[in-house]
Amino acid sequence: MKVYQTNEIKNIAILGSSGSGKTTLAEDMLYEGGVIKRRGTVEAGNTVSDYFPVEKEYGYSVFSTVFSVEWQDRKLNFIDCPGADDFIGGAVSALNVTDTALMLLNAQYGIEVGTINQLRYTEQFQKPVIFIVNHLDNASSDYDGTVAQLKDRFGSKIVQIQYPVNQGPLFNAVVDVLKMKMYRWKPEGGVPEVLDIPADEADKAAELHAALVEAAAEHDDRLMEKFFDEGSLSEDEMRSGISAGLITRGMFPVFCVCAGKDMCVSRTLEFLGNVVPTVDRMQYVKNTEGKEIAPDSNGPASIFFFKTTVEPHIGQVSYFKVISGKVKEGDDLQNADRGSKERIVQLFSVAGQTRNQVSEMMAGDIGATVKLKDIRRGNTLNGKGCDYRFDFIKYPNPKYRRAIRAVNEAEAEKMSELLTRMREEDPTWIVEQSKELKQTIVSGQGEFHLRTLKWRMENNEKINIEFIEPKIPYRETITRSARADYRHKKQSGGAGQFGEVHLIIEPYYEGMPAPDVYRFGNQEYKMSVRDTQTIDLDWGGKLVFVNCIVGGAIDTRFLPAILKGVMARMEQGPLTGSYARDVRLMVYDGKMHPVDSNEISFMLAGRNAFSTAFREAGPKILEPIYDVEVSVPADYLGDVMSDLQGRRAIIMGMNSEKGYEKLSAKVPLKELSSYSTSLSSVTGGRASFTMKFASYELVPADVQEKLLKAYTDNQEDD
Ligand SMILES: Nc1nc2c(ncn2[C@@H]2O[C@H](COP(=O)(O)OP(=O)(O)OP(=O)(O)O)[C@@H](O)[C@H]2O)c(=O)[nH]1
Ligand SMILES: [Mg+2]
């Protein structure tokens, strides 16, 4: 492949709901571009994309696939992205290194929840979008209904470049109102006949052509003037107007294809080659210092790695975009994130797992390399005198978690190594060795997501794993003040131990007044504060430890031991062994023994006095509450709401978004364990949700009771 200059390169993400036909379209483009001689099919498992065993097994994309097509002296770099919500990570990475999004729509279903989710990202990243309506050969194909949904959502920005003359199993013709021609295919697809528009289509074509001319003129003052003067534009002028409209997201063109039969794909490639903006015309990325970095091949060399995979017989393949400068084989570069040095041994332009060697790549280009020693996804390699770093890719929060363990304990370590590697390949995996829950927790985007991990572990790596219910990171706290004292005494031969601690505890809250007078029974305790230590607990919340000892009742050198004892109890709360938080504790009295008092004595006395007081202080369990946002078609709203209410959810609000309702609620994590699966079954996969940790709140009394009982039962079993 020749070396392409920045103004000859276009980077395009292929998006759309699962099953909309992205991988099939990619196959057609590779075929039309002469990269492959025969088209594979997803069913046969022989497409260029979807080459991982798990993708062939499941019949849908799990990872994004990079491929390039040379078209009319342009290099079109495509990234075929998974459409399933669970694999959204691939689309998020792709959108951050490409400039234009092709959004496929399945003409049977129109705008789906998957479409809406991905549209949100194109909006968030302000990417130009071209809509491609596919599956036109399907009996229930409804092109006009789909366009109507688009217009309902985007109004006059939706401009048809083509429309199908017929639909369903006999679909074979499209009218293109930019070229003002009709394209007709033989039933098996392939090279179309290019015909004049037949009379019975003339009016509709003319009307849509006029709308296209007007829309194209709108995005360029010079064209607008010409349009007002002459009422028309040339094809090239229309192209430049459309291109301008694309860049500003002022226009969303609509195309038709039948990817299944490779119909109208070469026409789409032609449009991409002619009209879609090249890298140099797009918004520049910003480095971590907020500086805009122009895709200038004469600039300093800087390449950003957005994807890595591990492939049989070659190991890690690292995919990058040349952000600035150029990269050549043999270059020595510095890893800006890890400080290590790397030599670029080989450079490739790729088509799935096929790699074509190239000698050099210019700013804006997307390629791959192998045999790097120490690269991670998100790293940047720079040439001499360049220290750019980039962190512009933000992945969505996880929404499905499970504890994972190797069926065969002996394989636990290998399993952890593999988890680290898989997280490297898919950034939406979060793997946490939880010291608190004593579990390895994997969090991902959904049940499918985890199922693919299991499949890959068992089939590719031959390690059997099982998912178990993850424990909930509960917290404990107190709701009123309490006093307790404890004497630890061991004086039966050998080194004696003696320590006595008197303390008062109360719930801690920000801005509370200094400790003063406390009344328990008919006794009053006046605190005189000597010293206060405020501890930000690793698990959230605070412990405020106040020395109110008077008259040297306890020597200050024993206070750290008392605190240590209290912290031991904070780490393993008296109720259910969960972390405790938000307590203020005043040590106000005690006793020492001149010989037998030592650290261990006061550590134990402190811990036990604290436990006693804690149990007296109206102890409560707190549970993690998450903010959940569900996007659901209006007709499923009722079911989704009652399902949420069955999960102790508090509905916070609702707003409509074009046929979709956006519901926000506060839901206990405990109730969200398999929410993604049940939401999908309640709505037939037509809804999606996000979740984010919000706060810790007291559990209801009945839940507390159940948790206490479960804990005691567990203790007895041990
Ligand atoms: N009838 C018909 N089937 C199609 C067409 N395009 C794709 N398909 C079929 O639809 C199914 C899904 O196609 P894919 O290309 O895997 O869809 P995708 O968008 O990549 O799906 P994900 O990878 O899950 O996001 C496959 O069985 C294809 O053969 C089409 O134009 N007509
Ligand atoms: Mg696919």
Side-chain angles (χ1 to χ4, degrees), residues 209-223:
H209 177 75
L212 178 58
V213 172
E214 194 174 338
E218 247 175 57
H219 299 285
D220 181 315
D221 298 344
R222 202 177 38 78
L223 295 178

Side-chain angles (χ1 to χ4, degrees), residues 545-560:
F545 185 81
V546 190
N547 169 5
C548 299
I549 297 288
V550 289
I554 300 176
D555 191 308
T556 44
R557 76 175 191 277
F558 291 131
L559 283 167

